[in-house]
Amino acid sequence: MAGACSMICLIIITIFIPPLGVFLTAGCGVDFWINVLLTILGYFPGHIHAFYLEYVYYHRRKQDPMTRATQRPAPGIYSDRVQNGGHSNRNYGTI
């Protein structure tokens, strides 16, 4: 239930301010600055980019770790956090 509520809040934030939605999902990296530029160039391209990032993030968040590890990176996304669905790629305790 908490995951659905946070997703709905993120969608509402992204509708009004696309770069803020990207910042909350991907952090302050290349994806954020690309979205700021797209939003300045036109409000609609900023929305497309923001919702694409959020879709990939939540889609990969639901996958099991083995599927995520073998999957190719999503095109046009530079944030490891989004590519991994918010999960770490590190395997602690393994050699």
Side-chain angles (χ1 to χ4, degrees):
M1 184 69 168
C5 183
S6 67
M7 183 171 46
I8 290 170
C9 289
L10 185 63
I11 289 171
I12 291 170
I13 290 169
T14 304
I15 288 171
F16 294 108
I17 309 169
L20 182 58
V22 172
F23 176 75
L24 294 173
T25 306
C28 187
V30 176
D31 289 316
F32 171 73
W33 293 110
I34 288 172
N35 192 267
V36 168
L37 180 66
L38 287 172
T39 304
I40 290 171
L41 292 175
Y43 200 58
F44 190 65
H47 277 92
I48 292 172
H49 181 255
F51 284 120
Y52 173 63
L53 285 171
E54 292 170 12
Y55 168 76
V56 170
Y57 176 79
Y58 281 104
H59 177 71
R60 294 200 173 182
R61 185 178 178 118
K62 291 188 293 185
Q63 293 177 337
D64 65 349
M66 293 305 289
T67 304
R68 261 194 326 270
T70 60
Q71 198 167 26
R72 292 173 36 152
I77 297 180
Y78 301 98
S79 170
D80 288 334
R81 181 177 179 194
V82 174
Q83 293 285 0
N84 297 322
H87 298 284
S88 174
N89 232 7
R90 300 179 187 135
N91 295 322
Y92 293 110
T94 59
I95 297 177

